[in-house]
């Protein structure tokens, strides 16, 4: 155990003293927040640009009331110029485009005969807005032709907002479900990225020591299994330290943001907010969307999510790191790892795709549940399911299977590791790995 402890300390210190580790630990949260703010700023700036659109209405059906100006779209009636002159003015001027509405005997034909001309390909939002205006006007005209009172139809429209509860009385909403999807997806995706980053870090460390022949000295005093396990645990400890620092930085950023938006996070976390109180808070906030979002996030099982993220990170990381370490021991350089990487990466990629495809649509469906039990996919899929509420017996089954599979995989990888770590000058094949697994001793 003393030798294993020394190996863990060596790997941990070597990892945390790395300049890239230090830089990314403190800059990553700031970079992510900065990139998000930059994207939001650029989107806002892009939407602020006013687009001038002219229209020629030869049908006589539309009026200026049908083309009301918005913040980013301004309309001008060029019907008097005619189609040819309008196209010329748009092509030579600074107009965004020209909408040509021809004269047709049938409203159905008219709906399919309208054309839009522009110098560049128009944005989808612009075209959707124009199509919506045209469809609304033609539909209303058809209703008038049928002798149907449009005002009565508009008056009969009712917007439904179904309140959602579980049988324990806890309220849910579309906003909460959307946040659950977002939190689960981010947690699952981050886990995949971290497993890949730290797993390949273990593999590179093994390859580096093997090619420098340092490993020959090390294995003379420690068992290969201890060396592999020490590398895995040492890198995992560095990863947890990085998560801890990120958590502190994110907490500071969140606290500053919450004070700016007027949300007392400490009070919100210590009090049990009833649905009536939440609704009153929403009304008092004056429909402040950001404040409501923060309130809804605080209703999520944040502590449970954090603890399960740590468990599944360690379980998933150590499971895959044992395989990465075995691959690193089997080859002489990183180029030779490509043939063995695909079988390792496929379950991770599959877990992300299954999570996005099934958990979002039905988090408690049979496919979602099955893949949250399978050890190679459970760290990602189960994390995506947790925000929607997962029973403890399901968590126990998933955790137990993950731990048992981890022990088995470490034992299996160690058999490859102890032989491959001293093999040089030969590019291994899957047949060679199978032979190494059969070696006794």
């Amino acid at each position: 155990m003393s030798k294993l402890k020394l190996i863990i300390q060596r790997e941990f210190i070597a990892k945390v003293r790395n300049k890239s580790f230090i830089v990314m630990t403190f800059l990553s949260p700031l970079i992510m927040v900065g990139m998000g703010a930059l994207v939001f700023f650029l989107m806002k700036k892009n939407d602020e640009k006013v687009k001038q659109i002219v229209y020629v209405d030869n049908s006589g059906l539309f009026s200026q009331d049908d083309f009301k100006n918005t913040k980013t779209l301004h309309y001008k009636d060029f019907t008097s110029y005619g189609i040819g002159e309008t196209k010329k003015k748009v092509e030579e001027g600074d107009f965004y485009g020209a909408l040509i509405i021809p004269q047709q005997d049938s409203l159905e034909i008219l709906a399919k005969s309208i054309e839009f001309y522009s110098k560049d390909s128009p944005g989808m939002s612009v075209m959707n807005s124009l199509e919506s205006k045209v469809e609304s006007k033609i539909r209303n005209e058809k209703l008038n032709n049928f002798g149907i009172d449009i005002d009565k139809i508009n008056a009969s429209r009712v917007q439904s907002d179904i309140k959602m509860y579980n049988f324990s009385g806890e309220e849910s909403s579309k906003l909460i479900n959307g946040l659950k999807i977002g939190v689960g997806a981010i947690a699952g995706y981050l886990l995949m990225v971290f497993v890949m980053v730290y797993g390949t870090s273990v593999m590179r460390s093994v390859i580096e020591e093997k090619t420098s022949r340092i490993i020959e000295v090390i294995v003379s005093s420690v068992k290969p299994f201890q060396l592999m396990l020490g590398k895995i645990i040492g890198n995992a400890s560095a990863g947890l330290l990085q998560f801890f620092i990120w958590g502190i930085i994110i907490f500071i950023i969140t606290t500053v943001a919450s004070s700016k938006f007027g949300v007392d996070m400490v009070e919100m976390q210590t009090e049990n907010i009833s649905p009536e109180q939440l609704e009153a808070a929403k009304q008092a906030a004056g429909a402040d969307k950001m404040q409501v979002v923060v309130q809804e996030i605080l209703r999520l099982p944040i502590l449970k999510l954090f603890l399960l993220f740590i468990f599944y990170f360690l379980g998933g990381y150590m499971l895959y790191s044992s395989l990465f370490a075995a691959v690193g021991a089997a080859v002489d350089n990183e180029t030779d790892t490509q043939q063995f990487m695909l079988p390792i990466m496929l379950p991770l990629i599959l877990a992300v795709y299954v999570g996005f495809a099934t958990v979002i649509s039905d988090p408690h469906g049979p496919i979602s549940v099955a893949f949250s039990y399978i050890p190679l996919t459970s760290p990602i899929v189960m994390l995506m399911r947790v925000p929607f509420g997962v029973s403890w017996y399901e968590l126990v089954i998933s955790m137990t299977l993950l731990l048992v599979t981890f022990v088995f995989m470490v034992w299996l990888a160690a058999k490859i590791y102890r032989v491959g770590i001293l093999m040089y000058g030969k590019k291994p094949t899957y047949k060679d790995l199978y032979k190494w697994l059969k070696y006794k001793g």
Side-chain angles (χ1 to χ4, degrees):
M1 290 299 295
S2 60
K3 293 179 180 179
L4 179 61
K5 183 180 178 181
L6 288 173
I7 296 170
I8 294 173
Q9 288 178 346
R10 175 181 175 274
E11 291 294 325
F12 176 80
I13 293 173
K15 187 72 177 178
V16 298
R17 283 183 176 177
N18 189 288
K19 290 183 180 179
S20 62
F21 178 88
I22 297 173
V23 171
M24 293 308 297
T25 296
F26 291 98
L27 287 186
S28 290
L30 300 177
I31 291 174
M32 291 178 64
V33 173
M35 288 182 63
L38 178 62
V39 171
F40 177 78
F41 174 77
L42 293 176
M43 290 176 60
K44 188 175 180 181
K45 282 296 181 182
N46 187 59
D47 291 339
E48 287 178 355
K49 182 181 179 181
V50 177
K51 302 176 181 65
Q52 296 276 355
I53 296 178
V54 302
Y55 63 92
V56 176
D57 179 24
N58 290 332
S59 68
L61 185 64
F62 295 82
S63 65
Q64 290 185 352
D65 291 335
D66 299 313
F67 294 102
K68 293 182 179 179
N69 293 340
T70 64
K71 186 177 180 180
T72 58
L73 293 177
H74 289 181
Y75 299 94
K76 288 187 177 181
D77 186 358
F78 272 32
T79 305
S80 59
Y81 290 106
I83 296 176
E85 185 66 20
T86 297
K87 287 182 180 179
K88 184 178 179 181
K89 286 181 176 292
V90 171
E91 188 175 1
E92 295 175 352
D94 295 328
F95 298 102
Y96 186 79
L99 185 69
I100 308 300
I101 306 172
Q103 183 177 4
Q104 298 289 351
D105 296 332
S106 169
L107 292 175
E108 287 79 3
I109 298 176
L110 175 62
K112 298 179 181 180
S113 303
I114 299 175
E115 300 171 344
F116 184 81
Y117 294 88
S118 61
K119 298 176 184 177
D120 302 313
S121 297
M124 291 299 297
S125 59
V126 174
M127 294 308 299
N128 289 337
S129 176
L130 291 175
E131 288 175 350
S132 176
K133 294 179 184 296
V134 170
E135 289 171 359
S136 177
K137 182 63 177 181
I138 293 178
R139 181 178 62 251
N140 290 342
E141 189 66 21
K142 290 188 70 174
L143 291 174
N144 278 328
N145 293 342
F146 293 149
I148 299 175
D149 192 336
I150 298 175
D151 292 333
K152 289 183 178 180
I153 292 179
N154 292 333
S156 67
R157 291 175 180 169
V158 177
Q159 186 175 4
S160 176
D161 185 12
I162 300 176
K163 297 186 180 298
M164 297 178 285
Y165 297 89
N166 58 23
F167 286 104
S168 62
E170 182 181 352
E171 184 185 8
S172 182
S173 69
K174 289 180 286 187
L175 176 60
I176 294 176
N177 286 343
L179 290 172
K180 288 178 179 179
I181 291 173
V183 170
I186 291 172
Y189 181 76
L190 286 178
L191 183 61
M192 182 197 73
V193 172
F194 290 139
V195 167
M196 291 172 60
V197 169
Y198 285 99
T200 53
S201 175
V202 172
M203 183 183 68
R204 291 192 185 100
S205 177
V206 173
I207 294 174
E208 182 181 349
E209 290 180 351
K210 180 179 177 179
T211 54
S212 64
R213 299 301 176 97
I214 296 176
I215 200 70
E216 296 177 1
V217 179
I218 297 177
V219 296
S220 65
S221 56
V222 297
K223 295 180 179 179
F225 177 79
Q226 289 179 313
L227 181 60
M228 183 185 74
L229 193 60
K231 285 183 174 294
I232 293 173
I233 297 175
N235 277 271
S237 301
L240 286 177
L241 175 63
Q242 197 169 49
F243 289 150
F244 179 73
I245 296 173
W246 284 353
I248 294 175
I249 295 174
I250 291 173
F251 175 76
I252 294 173
I253 294 174
T254 306
T255 303
V256 173
S258 65
S259 62
K260 181 178 180 180
F261 291 110
V263 179
D264 190 347
M265 295 187 67
V266 176
E267 182 180 352
M268 294 285 289
Q269 289 176 337
T270 55
E271 293 184 2
N272 184 18
I273 304 174
S274 66
E276 292 78 15
Q277 289 173 323
L278 181 62
E279 186 64 29
K282 292 178 182 178
Q283 294 176 359
D288 188 341
K289 293 183 180 180
M290 182 59 70
Q291 188 176 23
V292 173
V293 167
V294 174
Q295 291 170 341
E296 297 287 17
I297 289 175
L298 293 173
R299 296 180 61 189
L300 296 174
I302 298 175
L303 179 61
K304 182 179 180 182
L305 270 173
F306 176 76
L307 294 176
L308 288 175
F309 183 85
I310 296 299
F311 174 84
Y312 280 108
F313 165 75
L314 288 175
Y317 162 77
M318 298 183 79
L319 173 64
Y320 279 96
S321 289
S322 61
L323 299 177
F324 280 117
V327 171
V331 300
D332 291 338
N333 55 75
E334 196 168 341
T335 305
D336 294 339
T337 64
Q338 302 304 316
Q339 61 176 324
F340 301 113
M341 291 294 287
L342 183 60
I344 298 176
M345 304 302 295
L346 275 179
L348 281 173
I349 298 172
L350 178 64
V352 173
Y353 277 103
V354 168
F356 279 101
T358 63
V359 175
I360 291 177
S361 61
D362 187 4
H364 304 293
I367 303 298
S368 303
V369 173
F371 276 87
S372 65
Y373 290 163
I374 300 173
L376 291 173
T377 58
S378 63
I380 293 175
V381 178
M382 182 58 84
L383 273 184
M384 289 186 174
R385 291 187 60 212
V386 166
F388 294 93
V390 179
S391 60
W392 280 110
Y393 83 88
E394 288 186 83
L395 288 172
V396 169
I397 293 173
S398 176
M399 290 177 174
T400 304
L401 288 174
L402 180 59
L403 289 175
V404 171
T405 305
F406 158 67
V407 174
F408 174 74
M409 284 296 184
V410 169
W411 173 79
L412 204 65
K415 295 174 74 67
I416 298 175
Y417 188 92
R418 67 180 181 178
V419 178
I421 200 69
L422 297 176
M423 298 289 289
Y424 299 97
K426 180 185 177 182
K427 186 175 181 179
T429 63
Y430 284 102
K431 186 177 180 181
D432 293 326
L433 298 184
Y434 179 70
K435 288 180 180 180
W436 297 351
L437 288 172
K438 294 172 65 177
Y439 287 163
K440 296 181 179 180

